Amino acid sequence: MQLSHKLEADTIFPVCRSLLPQELWEKMVGTGDEFEPDKFPNTLALQSGNPGIPKYIADLARLERTLYKIGHNSPEFSSWEIDKIIANPNLDLLELNWKNLCSLLTREEKAPIKPEPGREMVMVWKPPGSERPKAQTAAYDDLLALKIVVEEIDPETAAVSGFPATAVDRAIDQAILKGILLSPPSRIRRNPSLFSTDAIIDERFLSAEVFTLQWHITQACDLHCKHCYDRSSRKAIPLQKALDILDSFHSFCRERHVWGQVSFTGGNPLLYPHFTELYQRASEQGFSLAILGNPASRETIEELLAIEQPVFYQVSLEGLQDHNDAIRGPGHFERVIDFLDILRELDVFSMVMLTLTQDNMEQVIPLAEYLQGRTDSFTFNRLSMVGEGANLKPADREKFARFLESYMEAAQENPIMHLKDNLFNILHTQKGLEPVGGCTGFGCGAAFNFLTLLPDGQVHACRKFPSPLGNILKKDLAAIYDSDKAEQYRQGCMSCRSCTIRPVCGGCLANAHSFGLNIFEEHDPYCFMLQ
């Protein structure tokens, strides 16, 4: 037998080869002038069931042949080439007469599941960006998603036909995550022409795959913090209108080809009278969920976990115990620490946020040291002097750069300390380090990859200062996002346009507002880029 025949057969059909005696294998591969891999499964089928040959060998050979084809002959495919969701061109569906054959392909140490007779649909595909193909039994949801997309069935029509709308959405979302469906690129994208030709332009910081709706669903709160941005009596939206807003946000995300996240906050979001129902619906619609609130009981968190585990639960501390309790009320520090223990025990990712002022700058790093091992993430926002926050003193601008330097040094030894402030990128640039995403992963993300929704339906570019764009009860979310006013916030400060780190910075519009500056003309007063 020609050596090339054996090498080709061993390469394309390695699992089949391992199941057959060597002499029999070489005989079946043959010694002709040309080995024909496409016909080899039929050759095996003629011998199936004979002594030493498993009955499922022909189906296994079909599966291995398809894996090899897709792994070696599939063209590279970019999402930029499509304008709607499509089936992965590098996908093949095999109808096999044996179940569990994919288990024989695994490289895991556990024993494969024994094949058994029975019809099974198997997907073989190459996910975008992957060098290796995958083979997996097609689940009902996989086939549903493929049918809807390939036959161009309107998802709403599919829902009317007996499939719950939430099931249709989840099936499509999961199929996109697997790579058996391909989605067009995100339409939440910055315009590179807005930046200097010398700017650090990295694709990671131009196109957002996730869009966040930060929803302040109630003004009700069990605290009265001294730096609260808004203690006004905004009336909360009734449940049905709130559910309608989720529908609107769902449509927005579908149209923009982004994953949606709803970050519930307040006030204290858990005090919204219909919070569980709203959380349930948001989960059913496939949004990732987060909570920015106050400490809660274990029973409350367990009730939410029965619906869906939040991607994070954020609480606030304003310094060490005495200072924090002077700002947030007696006993608050201990309640937060006890609550962090509950979150850790329930395996919920926890975040602690601090509002940076002149009075707590020296406590930030000691607090982070105290929290190491107690929380998963710690960071800070600079004080925005609006609402009751106008009564506190902002961080010292002369000391701010040195503070960031000390924070960065401490963060090298403390893994919970994250770099959220956009101005950390000045230090990274000076030190020749890779940029970080800053406040929202895209520097200032006001009206770019997030919007803020207040209890009464007002939509703002950023919650930390007045930046109204419209009311969602009167105007569609897409129209609000596409408005000229929202675009103005996205473009940010004109004086930052020529800055090389603008794509990952843009300063903080809320801080410029706090100091009475024209936020669209004058840059963040803490900026030390030119120093």
Side-chain angles (χ1 to χ4, degrees):
M1 185 181 75
Q2 295 181 9
L3 182 60
S4 60
H5 287 180
K6 184 176 184 303
L7 286 175
E8 187 175 9
D10 288 359
T11 300
I12 299 175
F13 305 102
V15 181
C16 289
R17 167 67 187 87
S18 69
L19 295 173
L20 298 178
Q22 181 175 347
E23 183 178 343
L24 179 58
W25 175 257
E26 292 180 353
K27 180 180 179 181
M28 298 184 72
V29 170
T31 58
D33 293 336
E34 184 177 353
F35 175 65
E36 300 184 74
D38 288 339
K39 295 182 179 180
F40 190 58
N42 295 330
T43 301
L44 291 174
L46 295 174
Q47 304 296 326
S48 176
N50 287 341
I53 303 180
K55 293 181 179 180
Y56 55 79
I57 195 74
D59 269 5
L60 178 59
R62 289 179 59 206
L63 179 55
E64 287 200 284
R65 177 56 178 150
T66 304
L67 268 169
Y68 186 86
K69 277 185 175 181
I70 290 179
H72 290 78
N73 302 321
S74 298
E76 293 298 323
F77 196 85
S78 170
S79 63
W80 295 102
E81 301 175 38
I82 59 177
D83 58 6
K84 64 180 180 179
I85 297 174
I86 64 170
N88 188 334
N90 299 325
L91 167 72
D92 202 348
L93 273 177
L94 299 178
E95 184 175 351
L96 304 178
N97 294 313
W98 286 81
K99 298 179 179 180
N100 306 325
L101 295 185
C102 292
S103 174
L104 299 177
L105 307 174
T106 182
R107 299 184 179 184
E108 298 177 4
E109 294 181 359
K110 63 181 181 180
I113 303 172
K114 184 178 179 180
E116 59 183 47
R119 179 178 177 273
E120 185 169 80
M121 298 295 292
V122 171
M123 306 179 298
V124 182
W125 79 103
K126 193 174 182 181
S130 174
E131 296 183 358
R132 293 178 55 191
K134 299 181 68 173
Q136 186 179 95
T137 300
Y140 172 82
D141 283 358
D142 298 323
L143 298 175
L144 172 63
L146 287 168
K147 179 179 178 65
I148 289 172
V149 170
V150 171
E151 298 183 10
E152 298 186 339
I153 301 172
D154 181 11
E156 292 185 5
T157 301
V160 172
S161 300
F163 303 107
T166 53
V168 173
D169 290 337
R170 280 189 178 274
I172 293 175
D173 288 345
Q174 290 303 311
I176 293 172
L177 288 174
K178 287 181 179 179
I180 61 175
L181 293 181
L182 301 183
S183 177
S186 167
R187 292 177 57 200
I188 303 298
R189 183 172 174 80
R190 291 203 190 278
N191 183 355
S193 66
L194 295 175
F195 307 136
S196 163
T197 55
D198 297 326
I200 303 171
I201 299 181
D202 187 312
E203 183 62 34
R204 292 175 298 163
F205 306 118
L206 294 181
S207 183
E209 301 298 324
V210 177
F211 190 93
T212 298
L213 183 67
Q214 186 185 70
W215 194 349
H216 296 255
I217 58 176
T218 180
Q219 293 291 85
C221 189
D222 43 342
L223 301 175
H224 191 138
C225 304
K226 292 184 177 179
H227 62 310
C228 184
Y229 299 145
D230 187 357
R231 295 293 299 182
S232 62
S233 56
R234 299 177 187 269
K235 188 176 180 180
I237 296 171
L239 177 60
Q240 186 53 56
K241 289 187 177 180
L243 298 178
D244 292 342
I245 288 172
L246 285 179
D247 291 340
S248 176
F249 184 47
H250 181 270
S251 297
F252 176 88
C253 292
R254 283 280 181 227
E255 293 166 0
R256 311 294 163 129
H257 303 295
V258 290
W259 304 104
Q261 175 174 311
V262 181
S263 294
F264 291 110
T265 185
N268 183 352
L270 300 182
L271 295 181
Y272 179 68
H274 308 291
F275 181 75
T276 302
E277 295 97 314
L278 197 58
Y279 191 87
Q280 174 82 46
R281 176 66 70 85
S283 172
E284 291 172 351
Q285 291 187 316
F287 298 122
S288 60
L289 306 177
I291 300 173
L292 292 70
N294 298 338
S297 67
R298 174 186 288 270
E299 292 73 23
T300 297
I301 303 304
E302 288 176 337
E303 182 180 1
L304 297 178
L305 291 180
I307 300 172
E308 180 176 324
Q309 179 160 324
V311 290
F312 65 84
Y313 194 119
Q314 178 180 296
V315 291
S316 294
L317 287 173
E318 307 309 332
L320 299 174
Q321 185 166 0
D322 288 347
H323 180 77
N324 176 82
D325 287 0
I327 297 293
R328 290 189 168 265
H332 177 264
F333 189 92
E334 289 188 0
R335 290 197 300 275
V336 168
I337 299 303
D338 290 343
F339 182 59
L340 292 174
D341 289 340
I342 292 173
L343 294 180
R344 186 169 63 254
E345 291 166 6
L346 295 177
D347 198 29
V348 176
F349 191 93
S350 65
M351 300 176 66
V352 174
M353 173 65 70
L354 174 142
T355 299
L356 187 70
T357 67
Q358 178 176 294
D359 295 330
N360 65 7
M361 287 183 72
E362 301 300 324
Q363 297 185 36
V364 172
I365 295 175
L367 176 62
E369 293 173 352
Y370 178 81
L371 291 174
Q372 186 172 356
R374 292 181 168 92
T375 187
D376 298 296
S377 174
F378 172 79
T379 189
F380 65 88
N381 275 328
R382 280 176 274 155
L383 172 72
S384 179
M385 293 183 287
V386 298
E388 297 186 7
N391 298 320
L392 300 182
K393 295 179 180 179
D396 190 318
R397 283 186 282 175
E398 298 300 321
K399 298 179 180 178
F400 187 64
R402 293 194 297 275
F403 165 77
L404 293 185
E405 183 89 42
S406 299
Y407 185 98
M408 277 181 54
E409 291 178 4
Q412 295 178 13
E413 304 296 329
N414 189 340
I416 71 168
M417 297 174 69
H418 292 162
L419 312 183
K420 185 182 182 192
D421 196 293
N422 292 332
L423 300 191
F424 277 117
N425 276 308
I426 299 177
L427 295 178
H428 270 236
T429 299
Q430 294 172 350
K431 296 176 182 294
L433 301 174
E434 287 290 314
V436 294
C439 186
T440 68
F442 299 86
C444 177
F448 173 59
N449 65 324
F450 79 89
L451 287 172
T452 294
L453 175 61
L454 302 189
D456 57 1
Q458 281 194 25
V459 177
H460 286 239
C462 174
R463 182 64 182 105
K464 293 173 61 182
F465 72 107
S467 48
L469 301 175
N471 193 300
I472 200 169
L473 300 179
K474 301 177 180 178
K475 195 174 183 180
D476 181 73
L477 184 63
I480 291 174
Y481 184 84
D482 292 334
S483 66
D484 292 341
K485 191 65 176 178
E487 179 60 29
Q488 188 177 20
Y489 282 104
R490 281 193 286 277
Q491 293 183 10
C493 173
M494 287 293 296
S495 64
C496 291
R497 293 281 182 86
S498 60
C499 182
T500 58
I501 65 170
R502 173 61 185 90
V504 290
C505 187
C508 178
L509 299 181
N511 271 268
H513 176 273
S514 293
F515 285 85
L517 304 179
N518 181 336
I519 65 170
F520 300 118
E521 299 290 340
E522 302 172 277
H523 62 70
D524 185 334
Y526 285 85
C527 178
F528 53 96
M529 183 67 176
L530 300 180
Q531 294 180 3

